[in-house]
Amino acid sequence: LSLVSIFVPIYLLTIGFSLTKIFVFMFIEWTVFALFTPLYGYLIHKIGLREVIFIRTPLFAASLFFLSMIDQSLFWQKFFYIIPILKGFSGSIYNLSISSLFVEYMGKRKQNEKTAKLIELPKVMSILGPFIGAIIAVLTSFEILFLLVAALLFISMIQLSFVKDNLNHPYFDLSVFRNFKEYARDFVYLVVYGLKINSYFLLIPLVLYLSSYDISSLGLVLSFLSLLGALFGIYVGRLADAYGARSIISAGGAMSALLFLLFGHFVNSNAFLYLTMLSGIIVVFINIPYEGYLFGQARKFSSPLKYLVFKEFSLFFGRSIGLIFLIFYSSRFDLVFYMVGVSSFIFWFF
């Protein structure tokens, strides 16, 4: 997935999509991903985790296949919104399933280090993914890249088919939503965090691409960011376990606030590239301990899925703030970076 995850907006740019239409595409995907998570919670409980993964894989592969057809098919150009719907649904049920399994088996000791391994170790296995994906896109085409990844997804299902027993059916209800006042503080921080992570993973590649239009260099830079995250992520997880997650989150919030304010100021400067390199170290100081805190909150429930659904539902509102703004002001990346910078200061008081 690291071969294609960053390149969907770039591909849409290369085939003539405007920035506004790209942000509409992303808004639809994240709406389907997060806004309907309570329904997905009931679905996961009903059919079980293995079946959910079986459903997710062909749907996500289909979205990549349809994506490869946009440039050649008037139908997919007209009904392009079907693609983000498929991506959002398949991505959400998979994310909830994997997160639920992780929380159930993570244990009480070294939670932040284990969270770092969950988030960063897959990056170790896919550090070259963005760069390889870029090379494939340059030497062949984005369409070939998407079809290749779709084929790899189907191949990955072979191993899962040998699992004879169904996996866990985690229980789900709306108890967290009914007790919203108790989790209102978490909701506020999740909104800010959603704005931050979506702006980082969406806008950084777009800014770098629009400044150079060099896909292979973009892939190399993002592979380097994956390497930095993998190297520093586990170290930060250990720091959070040793000195307390809240103190690391507070420091990370201050550093992230300054980082994004600088992103906004230097968005049209060569300095943006150097800030991007530095960001690979800074962002883990908030991402790792905060995700560890959220998984710890989920562990308090007999079924972690109850809180994980609430988490993704809440993140949507932060993601949507940035995307709705960009839909109307598609070239003002700087203002979104400033919004993230100012709002990130709230983590100083975590």
Side-chain angles (χ1 to χ4, degrees):
L1 296 183
S2 64
L3 293 173
V4 299
S5 57
I6 62 169
F7 291 117
V8 171
I10 307 299
Y11 166 66
L12 294 175
L13 269 178
T14 64
I15 62 173
F17 271 54
S18 66
L19 282 172
T20 297
K21 202 169 184 179
I22 290 171
F23 295 134
V24 170
F25 182 101
M26 301 305 298
F27 180 76
I28 294 172
E29 179 179 346
W30 284 115
T31 298
V32 175
F33 184 99
L35 203 56
F36 302 104
T37 45
L39 296 178
Y40 307 155
Y42 285 116
L43 176 66
I44 293 169
H45 169 63
K46 183 70 175 178
I47 67 175
L49 297 179
R50 189 186 72 156
E51 276 62 25
V52 163
I53 297 173
F54 267 124
I55 292 172
R56 173 261 186 177
T57 302
L59 287 179
F60 187 76
S63 73
L64 293 178
F65 174 74
F66 297 147
L67 196 61
S68 71
M69 300 293 292
I70 286 184
D71 196 30
Q72 307 168 24
S73 170
L74 291 176
F75 174 85
W76 289 113
Q77 291 175 18
K78 187 175 181 180
F79 297 100
F80 75 95
Y81 53 81
I82 296 175
I83 299 171
I85 289 174
L86 288 175
K87 287 179 87 270
F89 172 69
S90 61
S92 185
I93 60 175
Y94 179 78
N95 177 65
L96 289 172
S97 300
I98 294 299
S99 298
S100 179
L101 273 176
F102 171 74
V103 174
E104 285 193 29
Y105 295 107
M106 71 183 295
K108 295 182 179 181
R109 297 181 66 251
K110 299 182 178 180
Q111 291 186 13
N112 292 288
E113 183 179 342
K114 291 175 182 176
T115 300
K117 290 178 179 178
L118 172 71
I119 296 173
E120 302 300 339
L121 284 184
K123 292 182 182 179
V124 174
M125 304 302 294
S126 59
I127 283 173
L128 292 178
F131 180 63
I132 294 173
I135 294 300
I136 294 173
V138 169
L139 295 180
T140 58
S141 66
F142 279 110
E143 290 84 355
I144 296 297
L145 174 63
F146 294 146
L147 292 174
L148 173 63
V149 173
L152 292 174
L153 283 170
F154 278 111
I155 293 172
S156 71
M157 292 180 66
I158 296 175
Q159 183 177 3
L160 188 61
S161 65
F162 289 104
V163 179
K164 298 185 182 299
D165 298 324
N166 195 4
L167 296 174
N168 187 21
H169 289 243
Y171 180 72
F172 176 75
D173 61 30
L174 296 174
S175 56
V176 181
F177 292 88
R178 294 192 192 101
N179 299 313
F180 178 78
K181 287 184 179 180
E182 185 178 346
Y183 301 100
R185 180 180 181 274
D186 281 359
F187 175 80
V188 172
Y189 280 99
L190 282 165
V191 170
V192 175
Y193 187 61
L195 173 63
K196 185 188 81 71
I197 58 175
N198 199 55
S199 301
Y200 183 77
F201 290 109
L202 174 61
L203 295 187
I204 298 298
L206 279 175
V207 172
L208 293 176
Y209 175 74
L210 290 172
S211 66
S212 67
Y213 293 92
D214 187 338
I215 294 172
S216 57
S217 295
L218 173 62
L220 185 61
V221 168
L222 296 176
S223 287
F224 180 73
L225 286 183
S226 295
L227 176 61
L228 286 179
L231 290 176
F232 284 91
I234 295 176
Y235 171 71
V236 171
R238 290 174 178 170
L239 280 180
D241 286 325
Y243 298 102
R246 292 183 184 275
S247 60
I248 304 300
I249 291 171
S250 295
M255 289 189 292
S256 289
L258 178 60
L259 172 70
F260 278 91
L261 290 174
L262 290 173
F263 272 146
H265 183 71
F266 292 108
V267 69
N268 296 314
S269 165
N270 290 334
F272 191 90
L273 175 61
Y274 303 112
L275 285 171
T276 300
M277 300 296 191
L278 182 63
S279 73
I281 300 172
I282 291 177
V283 295
V284 295
F285 276 88
I286 187 169
N287 292 2
I288 298 302
Y290 185 59
E291 290 283 354
Y293 164 81
L294 294 173
F295 286 139
Q297 288 289 84
R299 285 194 77 255
K300 295 178 181 179
F301 293 85
S302 57
S303 173
L305 186 60
K306 298 178 185 181
Y307 187 84
L308 293 172
V309 166
F310 172 77
K311 169 195 168 186
E312 295 299 337
F313 184 86
S314 303
L315 286 172
F316 165 74
F317 293 94
R319 288 174 171 138
S320 63
I321 289 171
L323 287 171
I324 290 173
F325 180 87
L326 288 167
I327 288 171
F328 290 99
Y329 304 98
S330 59
S331 62
R332 296 309 306 267
F333 294 179
D334 58 330
L335 294 182
V336 177
F337 286 132
Y338 287 139
M339 279 195 290
V340 176
V342 172
S343 62
S344 291
F345 275 113
I346 193 176
F347 282 99
W348 178 259
F349 306 100
F350 188 79

